[in-house]
Amino acid sequence: MTMTRLGAVTLGKQLSSSDISDTAIALLDEQGTVAGWTQTAERLVGHSAGDVVGRAAALVLPSFGTAATTSEFVERCQAENGWSGAETVRHRDGRVLDVGLRITRLRGHDGTTRWLASMTGTGPRTEDGTNGSAPGPLLTHAPIGVTVRDRQLRCTFVNDVAERHDGLPHTRRLGCRLTDVLTGSHAETVEAVMQQVLHNGATKVHEYRTYLPTSQGPEHQFAASFQCLQGADGSSLGVCVISADVTANRQARERLAVLSEASARLGSTLDMMQAGQELADLAVPLLADYVAVDLEQSVSFGEGPPVRVGATGRHLPAFRRAGLASINRGVPESPWVRGEPVDVPAASPFAAALRAGRSRLEPVLDTTPGTWVDNVPALAHRVRDNGMHSIMVVPIRARRALLGMALFVRTKDPAPFHEADLVLAEELVGRAAQALDNARQFAREHTAALALQRNLLPRRLRGGAAVEVASRYLPADVDHCVGGDWFDVIPLSGARVALVVGDVIGHGLHAAATMGRLRTAVHTLAAMELPPDELLAHLDDTVQRLAEEDCDVPEQTPAVSGATCLYAVYDPVTRRCTMASAGHPPPAMIDPQGRVAYLDVPTGAPLGVGLGDPFESVELELAEGTVLALYSDGLIETREQDIDEGMHRLGAALTQPGRSLDELCDMATRTLAEQEPCDDVTLLLVRTRSLDPSRVASWTVPGDQEAVRGARDLAARQLAEWGLEGLEDATKLIVSELVTNAVRHGTGAVGLRLLRHQVLTVEVSDSDAFAPRPRRAGSTDENGRGLLLVRKLSRRWGCRSAPDGKVVWAELELPRDSGPHPGSP
């Protein structure tokens, strides 16, 4: 039978109390004869003490038989001071078992020698003759202490390792009981355990902690296995004690427990500051008495380029405190609270760790006067008053970028930090860095999306003579990022305004970019003077086309990525408002008496879903001073409230007589501070105005060429009445061209209207539904220059459809010194 030495068996595995309690033990004399047997050995190989005591070990250890003589095997063990390796043993029923075998030499009085054979099962034998699992941990070269005691518990044999465990030399130990050489409750407890083992023959395991006599480091944890040695007749001969240092195993278990908890607790938030606090809360008191987590300034706000690890140059990065935790209430160790900038002394361990780009361990913190601590008086005071004596500084890094640093401090715990603690701290910080990096990436996207959306939203709303305007936009919470809400007030011809509010499905940069595209599309369609239902139909086509363009594969069916929208047009001359909805919540109307009602607007399908159903418009007359509230669903729907409750809350907030629109906006959104919004919140409030009749002049002229002269005269007289003689020439030319076109291309009477509001508007209506198109006239053409002239003379011009034809209009700037007109807002 070939023996295999185990130089690298079970690498990385550590001894544990369960390992030594399952170890089968046999005591051999100098000639290799079994002198003592244990119950664990009987359970492993099936032989009782009566079967093997007094017989050669080759009975159960075939390797003994491979040597020429038993003494030759013993001599080999003596030469190597023991032996360990993979071995096979013969079970009583004939089976061959794979075990891990260790032969340990023991010394007694007068130089006598005994051998302890310890065996650990390593798993069943496979078909190819090898064991199915790695040999047990006792086959590693981790030292074990062995002590053999007689029935009076006096030490009879011991190995050298036992002395290194408790500091007792063999000369002092041999022939003595444990209580003869050690005082205290520990020795009495151990002897009580050994008495129990002698009495009932069972195996006992005792764990204890102590400082190694040869080490100045932290305390170690030991596990001792007590087994009764039996003679040939089964009687108790004494006790064999095997002790092993299980500190590494305990530390590994504690480390796994901490890392397991870290996996569960870290990464639960995308808020940078909260992620830093999670790391601090996790490390106290598991690893340190006080922990501070500081984030690099640009990281904490999700802005700026990343700082490379170790590339700090002359100037250290700026930090902001993100996490604090302490075993003491109120965290008295920190001179800075969360959110405050942190001062990093240039000569401190923090700066050294940043410059080196790696962790720094100071087992004993030097706080004597004149050290770097005194460079920050507030910090020096707290370091000394709280007894900070050992620190670890670990940079927080991800993707080769410096995110921050974590400080671990011991105050009440007298044990200094050691390398094993630093390894665990780096593991924790590494896992936290992943969470912080995710939060940083999210914060950067959130900041970019928010900046994009704010740049795409109108910076200043102007209601002109039609409405007074106020608005609020609140971005979604950090977990949902910014959305695609938008709102607008678009000036139209004839002093009218278009009121718009919309909400793109989804969140993030894509939603914000889509919102910008839709807002631009609405402006373009509004310039075409389309009715609300027609405008939404064109916008629906636009959304579907954009979705098709966004598909990666041309043949792929476009995913539904739509939007909701409410579009309304208000005319201050008639005080009539026309509106249509594409899946958007209904607007609230508050009349001048303070009564609130939600308008019954046909909801329609959201934009982009492709149902093809036509949109419907409704028209209503609004009293002057009526407030319309257009909003997105984020204002009325939260995690805690359904839509009905939100609409009731919004209505109650808006029915506050005598309040300005800004005050009403604040009151409507204030209650959301107590909620947790899950979507963007958009609110657009408008208070309607009416255009004073004295500012509107309208006539009907016959549809013939004589009407042109009469129309010019009517316009000139009205301008004189308004004190706008300076605009007479330009206005008369515009009226001439527009009326001439109306007479030439239409039938019946022609309408002429002048409106004086922020600008002077000239409108000419006729029965022809076709919009005029300017064209470039040749040098010899007699016609084709009229609309070009209108364009040159006016601020802007256009055409809109009317129920019985069309209206062509042009706007002129009012003179700066014209002054306010009676009835102007």
Side-chain angles (χ1 to χ4, degrees):
M1 186 76 61
T2 303
M3 293 184 296
T4 305
R5 292 194 59 82
L6 298 181
V9 175
T10 63
L11 288 176
K13 192 175 181 183
Q14 305 294 337
L15 289 170
S16 67
S17 56
S18 60
D19 294 327
I20 62 175
S21 65
D22 295 335
T23 302
I25 294 176
L27 186 65
L28 311 180
D29 63 14
E30 294 181 81
Q31 289 73 40
T33 301
V34 179
W37 196 246
T38 61
Q39 290 184 0
T40 53
E42 181 176 350
R43 287 195 298 270
L44 179 64
V45 299
H47 290 284
S48 66
D51 297 333
V52 295
V53 174
R55 303 179 65 179
L59 174 67
V60 292
L61 295 176
S63 295
F64 270 66
T66 61
T69 61
T70 301
S71 60
E72 179 182 330
F73 182 84
V74 172
E75 289 173 2
R76 187 184 308 169
C77 291
Q78 288 176 339
E80 300 181 17
N81 198 31
W83 181 88
S84 64
E87 183 59 275
T88 57
V89 298
R90 198 183 312 280
H91 195 273
R92 185 176 183 180
D93 59 12
R95 290 179 294 145
V96 176
L97 305 176
D98 289 327
V99 298
L101 173 65
R102 168 175 281 183
I103 305 295
T104 305
R105 183 177 183 177
L106 309 178
R107 292 190 294 177
H109 277 300
D110 302 324
T112 55
T113 299
R114 291 290 184 271
W115 300 95
L116 186 81
S118 52
M119 297 171 287
T120 304
T122 63
R125 199 169 185 78
T126 60
E127 294 181 359
D128 60 0
T130 62
N131 58 301
S133 62
L138 280 178
L139 294 184
T140 65
H141 292 290
I144 59 172
V146 180
T147 304
V148 176
R149 296 182 179 275
D150 60 17
R151 290 184 57 83
Q152 287 73 42
L153 303 183
R154 294 170 300 194
C155 180
T156 55
F157 294 95
V158 67
N159 73 340
D160 296 336
V161 176
E163 178 179 341
R164 296 201 296 270
H165 282 184
D166 56 21
L168 291 175
H170 72 279
T171 54
R172 185 180 174 191
R173 187 194 308 264
L174 288 171
C176 300
R177 293 167 59 106
L178 189 61
T179 52
D180 294 337
V181 293
L182 290 177
T183 59
S185 59
H186 172 68
E188 297 173 357
T189 300
V190 171
E191 285 205 347
V193 172
M194 290 190 287
Q195 289 287 1
Q196 293 179 10
V197 170
L198 283 175
H199 178 71
N200 55 32
T203 300
K204 296 286 186 180
V205 176
H206 175 63
E207 291 196 28
Y208 59 96
R209 296 185 181 187
T210 186
Y211 287 91
L212 292 178
T214 58
S215 172
Q216 300 298 320
E219 65 177 7
H220 282 236
Q221 181 166 340
F222 293 90
S225 174
F226 302 85
Q227 297 194 39
C228 179
L229 291 171
Q230 298 175 333
D233 58 356
S235 61
S236 299
L237 299 178
V239 178
C240 178
V241 183
I242 295 180
S243 60
D245 188 340
V246 295
T247 304
N249 179 266
R250 174 182 63 85
Q251 292 174 342
R253 289 199 307 268
E254 292 177 350
R255 179 179 174 184
L256 286 175
V258 172
L259 294 179
S260 176
E261 187 172 356
S263 299
R265 292 173 57 180
L266 294 177
S268 64
T269 178
L270 289 174
D271 180 82
M272 297 291 295
M273 298 291 286
Q274 186 58 35
Q277 185 60 43
E278 284 182 348
L279 173 58
D281 290 338
L282 177 65
V284 175
L286 292 175
L287 181 60
D289 298 330
Y290 160 61
V291 171
V293 178
D294 300 327
L295 296 181
E296 195 270 322
Q297 182 76 20
S298 65
V299 170
S300 58
F301 292 100
E303 300 174 348
V307 175
R308 294 301 175 188
V309 176
T312 57
R314 284 187 173 184
H315 302 287
L316 295 172
F319 290 91
R320 189 173 296 272
R321 184 132 295 176
L324 280 174
S326 171
I327 60 173
N328 300 309
R329 185 183 299 274
V331 196
E333 300 92 337
S334 176
W336 303 286
V337 300
R338 293 184 65 208
E340 285 188 342
V342 175
D343 187 7
V344 180
S348 66
F350 317 111
L354 291 173
R355 293 191 180 98
R358 58 177 179 268
S359 304
R360 185 176 181 89
L361 167 65
E362 292 205 2
V364 180
L365 179 64
D366 186 3
T367 60
T368 57
T371 59
W372 64 269
V373 177
D374 292 322
N375 294 334
V376 185
L379 181 61
H381 169 72
R382 294 175 186 265
V383 166
R384 296 187 177 106
D385 287 356
N386 291 279
M388 301 185 195
H389 62 86
S390 186
I391 66 169
M392 297 183 294
V393 181
V394 182
I396 306 173
R397 49 197 172 188
R399 306 173 191 263
R400 300 181 62 188
L402 178 68
L403 304 183
M405 61 180 179
L407 169 66
F408 301 84
V409 180
R410 279 187 175 162
T411 55
K412 299 293 180 61
D413 187 346
F417 286 121
H418 286 269
E419 291 293 338
D421 299 314
L422 183 61
V423 171
L424 178 56
E426 290 176 335
E427 287 275 3
L428 287 177
V429 170
R431 300 198 179 200
Q434 297 177 10
L436 283 166
D437 188 49
N438 291 336
R440 179 187 64 159
Q441 296 297 326
F442 179 84
R444 292 175 69 89
E445 179 177 337
H446 182 269
T447 301
L450 189 59
L452 173 63
Q453 185 175 44
R454 284 178 173 168
N455 286 329
L456 292 175
L457 288 174
R459 298 188 179 183
R460 182 180 179 186
L461 297 175
R462 297 181 179 180
V467 292
E468 177 190 354
V469 184
S471 64
R472 292 292 184 274
Y473 167 70
L474 303 177
D477 63 4
V478 72
D479 293 329
H480 291 84
C481 189
V482 70
D485 288 16
W486 88 94
F487 55 92
D488 232 324
V489 177
I490 306 173
L492 301 177
S493 63
R496 299 170 307 137
V497 290
L499 311 174
V500 190
V501 64
D503 184 1
V504 175
I505 296 173
H507 297 86
L509 283 172
H510 178 75
T514 302
M515 176 271 289
R517 298 163 85 178
L518 293 186
R519 180 170 179 254
T520 301
V522 171
H523 270 263
T524 302
L525 294 171
M528 298 171 63
E529 303 278 2
L530 296 175
D533 54 344
E534 292 184 28
L535 184 142
L536 290 181
H538 285 286
L539 192 61
D540 183 36
D541 294 338
T542 300
V543 173
Q544 294 187 54
R545 185 172 62 256
L546 292 176
E548 293 171 358
E549 293 174 356
D550 289 341
C551 290
D552 295 331
V553 182
E555 295 79 11
Q556 177 182 347
T557 302
V560 176
S561 59
T564 65
C565 183
L566 180 77
Y567 184 83
V569 175
Y570 174 69
D571 187 342
V573 177
T574 62
R575 292 186 287 105
R576 301 196 68 80
C577 183
T578 307
M579 61 183 66
S581 173
H584 205 79
M589 181 185 72
I590 302 90
D591 64 20
Q593 289 72 42
R595 294 170 298 193
V596 64
Y598 285 92
L599 299 179
D600 186 13
V601 182
T603 304
L607 303 172
V609 299
L611 296 182
D613 295 335
F615 297 99
E616 298 182 51
S617 293
V618 294
E619 186 177 69
L620 62 156
E621 185 174 333
L622 302 177
E624 184 175 5
T626 298
V627 174
L628 286 179
L630 284 66
Y631 53 89
S632 61
D633 56 2
L635 182 63
I636 59 174
E637 186 177 16
T638 65
R639 293 185 180 92
E640 293 77 19
Q641 290 183 344
D642 59 22
I643 293 179
D644 291 338
E645 292 176 341
M647 293 175 70
H648 177 74
R649 174 181 49 78
L650 175 60
L654 295 177
T655 53
Q656 303 292 329
R659 302 282 186 173
S660 68
L661 291 185
D662 277 319
E663 290 175 329
L664 291 178
C665 282
D666 290 338
M667 297 178 70
T669 57
R670 187 175 299 148
T671 56
L672 291 173
E674 305 170 1
Q675 310 287 334
E676 186 176 356
C678 56
D679 201 355
D680 284 11
V681 173
T682 302
L683 175 62
L684 175 65
L685 292 184
V686 298
R687 179 175 282 123
T688 62
R689 295 168 174 160
S690 63
L691 202 60
D692 192 283
S694 64
R695 301 171 66 188
V696 181
S698 58
W699 306 271
T700 301
V701 297
D704 54 33
Q705 290 298 326
E706 296 298 325
V708 177
R709 181 191 299 271
R712 287 200 304 263
D713 293 340
L714 291 172
R717 284 196 297 269
Q718 186 61 54
L719 293 179
E721 183 180 337
W722 284 340
L724 299 177
E725 291 86 351
L727 297 178
E728 180 178 341
D729 291 340
T731 304
K732 290 170 65 175
L733 284 172
I734 291 174
V735 169
S736 294
E737 294 299 332
L738 296 184
V739 172
T740 299
N741 283 342
V743 169
R744 181 176 299 172
H745 299 288
T747 59
V750 175
L752 172 63
R753 188 169 74 160
L754 300 183
L755 297 93
R756 182 183 186 277
H757 48 110
Q758 272 71 27
V759 293
L760 175 67
T761 302
V762 179
E763 296 182 347
V764 174
S765 59
D766 61 59
S767 59
D768 183 24
F770 293 98
R773 294 287 184 269
R775 61 187 177 88
R776 182 176 296 277
S779 58
T780 60
D781 292 341
E782 296 182 2
N783 299 312
R785 297 179 178 85
L787 291 179
L788 293 177
L789 181 61
V790 171
R791 175 184 291 177
K792 292 290 186 180
L793 294 174
S794 63
R795 174 176 174 265
R796 61 175 188 151
W797 78 279
C799 177
R800 66 176 183 267
S801 61
D804 53 357
K806 68 176 183 297
V807 176
V808 182
W809 55 269
E811 293 179 352
L812 293 88
E813 295 281 3
L814 294 177
R816 293 182 179 274
D817 57 352
S818 61
H821 187 272
S824 59

